[in-house]
Amino acid sequence: MPNFHTKTYNQPTLPTKFGETQFQFVATSSRGEVLVMSKCSGEDFLLKVNKNKNGYLIKGDKITRPSQVAVLQRALMDFRDASNAEATLSNIESKKIKSLEISPYLKKMDYFADEFQTDKEILIEVGFGSGRHLLHQAKKHPDKLVIGLEIHKPSIEQVLKQCELQNITNILAVDYDARVFLEFLDSNSVRSIFVHFPVPWDKKPHRRVISERFINEAKRVLKVGGTLELRTDSDNYFEYSFSEFVKQPKVELHVNKNKDLEISSKYEDRWKRQEKDIYDITMVAHENSENVAKIGRLKFSKNIDFSELKKRFEEKILRGDDFFAHIEEIYEIDDTSGFVRVSFGGAQKNEHNYIHITKESISYLPDNVLATKDNLNAHKLIEETLYGICD
Ligand SMILES: C[S@@+](CC[C@H](N)C(=O)[O-])C[C@H]1O[C@@H](n2cnc3c(N)ncnc32)[C@H](O)[C@@H]1O
């Protein structure tokens, strides 16, 4: 990620515009960490100044990172020039730092919360890896929409490249945790969900894709007759998953051993060479499910007096049944405004954000935090705690 070191720098008087970047204000934590609110190419984000024994390290803040690395490089160059810093050990002018290519087939979760609709039948693949099965499904069913979920960016890039080369237009790739993704879909809207060779997570079972919660969400989004298909080479994962599937009060399950599919994935080829057994469990949905409300964004119900909060602030870790909130640090902009840094969510996915508090308003930064079940529960804990401190 772009950054530079400098022995000295002169904090410019803010707000100011330098080059292509507006620098709006500075926020400082009790530990002396400095954040600089910046705007470049229409994006709001923070630069971070860390003091160390050789001077300062100036970089982009991870939580508010702009969508393109080039924007951060531009803002850092502008900050270097605005503050008369002499950048040493700098990579901010490097052309080697690449952004994920923008592709019409790569979708963010905002798209699923705000815009997604389709008349096509939906197929979903969880953890598509090299993408062989995903691409095969898309080519076999040009009339269907194939959504591929993957958290490994190089795999996503590889599949997007293949879509371009092979002129495949019915895939949407999503860089998001499959364990939460299904919450964003309408009930009874999906034909098939494929979970092929998921990571077995023998030592960290809470990370497994298959769980009671995932199976319940799958049942909700599947159409009547739709299927959730697990394929695994792990005896352990098979036994664990089977025990989760049979817990369901009413399901149709099919189990197969060493069944050949039309296409063999990279992992599958490896296991076959090693003569390992491969197991399939297919669950068929039988019931229509009730519709659920669309996922919105987290919002605060009332404002907070920043000066009161600052007086009584302390770091806190709050825990619910299967969610948590960590109120980490406070940053002062002036007497009446500042940031609180928080992390929160469930066992499945964590969010990292600032809460920006001014006299007039309170909001998350970035301000598009999705109100998934875990986020909403954790947000309520944060609200209760912050309001409690200030009352
Ligand atoms: C063992 S690989 C299997 C890849 C592919 N299905 C195959 O058969 O070749 C598991 C893949 O799942 C992805 N993955 C793991 N956990 C995930 C999650 N919670 N959501 C989405 N993808 C996930 C990993 O990045 C990895 O690419």
Side-chain angles (χ1 to χ4, degrees):
M1 277 293 119
N3 64 70
F4 67 90
H5 295 253
T6 176
K7 282 211 168 88
T8 58
Y9 82 103
N10 299 320
Q11 177 61 60
T13 310
L14 302 185
T16 187
K17 180 157 192 221
F18 205 97
E20 292 171 34
T21 314
Q22 280 175 311
F23 299 106
Q24 293 159 340
F25 54 78
V26 162
T28 310
S29 79
S30 53
R31 294 179 201 153
E33 197 176 270
V34 174
L35 302 173
V36 183
M37 189 74 219
S38 312
K39 190 179 192 88
C40 183
S41 290
E43 295 199 63
D44 293 306
F45 53 95
L46 294 161
L47 300 184
K48 203 173 202 174
V49 181
N50 284 347
K51 196 167 176 5
N52 56 34
K53 61 180 185 329
N54 299 320
Y56 302 90
L57 169 66
I58 303 184
K59 58 184 183 177
D61 162 67
K62 269 196 202 152
I63 296 176
T64 56
R65 206 178 265 173
S67 55
Q68 294 295 299
V69 187
V71 174
L72 184 55
Q73 284 182 296
R74 180 72 261 158
L76 284 166
M77 282 189 255
D78 290 340
F79 190 75
R80 172 197 62 192
D81 299 341
S83 62
N84 291 317
E86 268 202 35
T88 54
L89 292 171
S90 162
N91 64 354
I92 56 177
E93 295 196 51
S94 165
K95 301 228 170 359
K96 285 193 195 139
I97 302 177
K98 281 215 227 133
S99 299
L100 203 61
E101 297 270 335
I102 298 175
S103 157
Y105 306 115
L106 175 64
K107 294 294 180 199
K108 296 201 163 176
M109 289 315 294
D110 287 345
Y111 168 79
F112 285 96
D114 302 336
E115 292 173 47
F116 177 68
Q117 312 190 358
T118 181
D119 298 333
K120 292 184 176 172
E121 210 161 48
I122 302 172
L123 308 179
I124 297 177
E125 176 147 1
V126 169
F128 56 74
S130 66
R132 273 194 211 167
H133 182 262
L134 183 81
L135 295 162
H136 169 78
Q137 288 296 334
K139 285 189 276 189
K140 186 175 165 196
H141 302 290
D143 54 326
K144 298 194 191 334
L145 178 68
V146 187
I147 301 178
L149 308 172
E150 181 49 74
I151 51 176
H152 182 237
K153 289 191 174 50
S155 299
I156 297 176
E157 280 184 345
Q158 205 177 315
V159 156
L160 292 173
K161 201 166 275 168
Q162 284 305 318
C163 288
E164 208 183 301
L165 290 172
Q166 299 186 44
N167 203 15
I168 296 172
T169 56
N170 58 333
I171 283 183
L172 296 181
V174 192
D175 173 10
Y176 196 71
D177 196 311
R179 294 170 301 168
V180 189
F181 178 82
L182 299 184
E183 282 187 37
F184 289 80
L185 297 182
D186 288 342
S187 301
N188 318 304
S189 63
V190 176
R191 169 58 52 197
S192 295
I193 304 170
F194 305 103
V195 185
H196 286 187
F197 302 97
V199 182
W201 290 116
D202 286 338
K203 294 201 176 121
K204 293 183 181 166
H206 63 280
R207 290 209 179 174
R208 289 173 174 160
V209 169
I210 299 291
S211 67
E212 188 175 352
R213 180 164 158 177
F214 182 83
I215 296 171
N216 280 328
E217 274 301 298
K219 276 170 66 180
R220 181 185 68 76
V221 301
L222 284 172
K223 294 177 171 203
V224 170
T227 53
L228 166 59
E229 296 185 24
L230 166 71
R231 188 163 173 84
T232 180
D233 58 287
S234 156
D235 301 355
N236 230 353
Y237 202 85
F238 166 71
E239 279 159 27
Y240 153 80
S241 303
F242 189 73
S243 71
E244 286 299 328
F245 280 111
V246 292
K247 259 193 222 161
Q248 294 287 329
K250 204 173 158 198
V251 274
E252 179 181 329
L253 296 178
H254 300 266
V255 175
N256 282 286
K257 192 170 170 186
N258 296 327
K259 181 175 94 173
D260 280 329
L261 299 185
E262 289 168 343
I263 188 98
S264 179
S265 81
K266 239 178 163 178
Y267 274 84
E268 184 162 344
D269 284 350
R270 187 194 299 167
W271 305 139
K272 280 183 175 160
R273 279 196 298 274
Q274 294 177 16
E275 299 190 344
K276 277 184 94 176
D277 287 328
I278 293 174
Y279 305 94
D280 289 283
I281 304 176
T282 303
M283 178 186 84
V284 186
H286 271 300
E287 283 167 13
N288 261 314
S289 305
E290 277 183 23
N291 281 328
V292 292
K294 276 247 167 234
I295 300 236
R297 300 295 194 291
L298 295 184
K299 297 247 174 308
F300 286 86
S301 46
K302 61 179 186 186
N303 206 351
I304 282 176
D305 181 338
F306 183 77
S307 57
E308 286 302 315
L309 181 66
K310 199 180 68 183
K311 276 188 230 156
R312 284 172 238 152
F313 181 86
E314 53 184 56
E315 185 190 348
K316 273 193 168 61
I317 298 179
L318 312 157
R319 292 195 193 280
D321 286 345
D322 48 8
F323 55 92
F324 80 100
H326 184 179
I327 300 179
E328 298 176 349
E329 178 64 294
I330 191 162
Y331 299 77
E332 184 177 340
I333 299 167
D334 56 35
D335 286 346
T336 57
S337 62
F339 291 124
V340 174
R341 193 180 70 221
V342 287
S343 54
F344 56 95
Q348 321 201 320
K349 191 168 185 323
N350 297 350
E351 304 289 342
H352 298 268
N353 281 80
Y354 295 94
I355 301 170
H356 186 191
I357 303 166
T358 70
K359 254 183 172 170
E360 295 79 30
S361 65
I362 176 164
S363 57
Y364 282 103
L365 178 77
D367 67 354
N368 55 352
V369 197
L370 295 159
T372 58
K373 285 180 195 141
D374 287 334
N375 284 356
L376 202 54
N377 284 331
H379 169 70
K380 285 183 190 151
L381 266 186
I382 293 174
E383 274 198 321
E384 268 169 32
T385 309
L386 296 184
Y387 295 149
I389 293 174
C390 296
D391 279 350

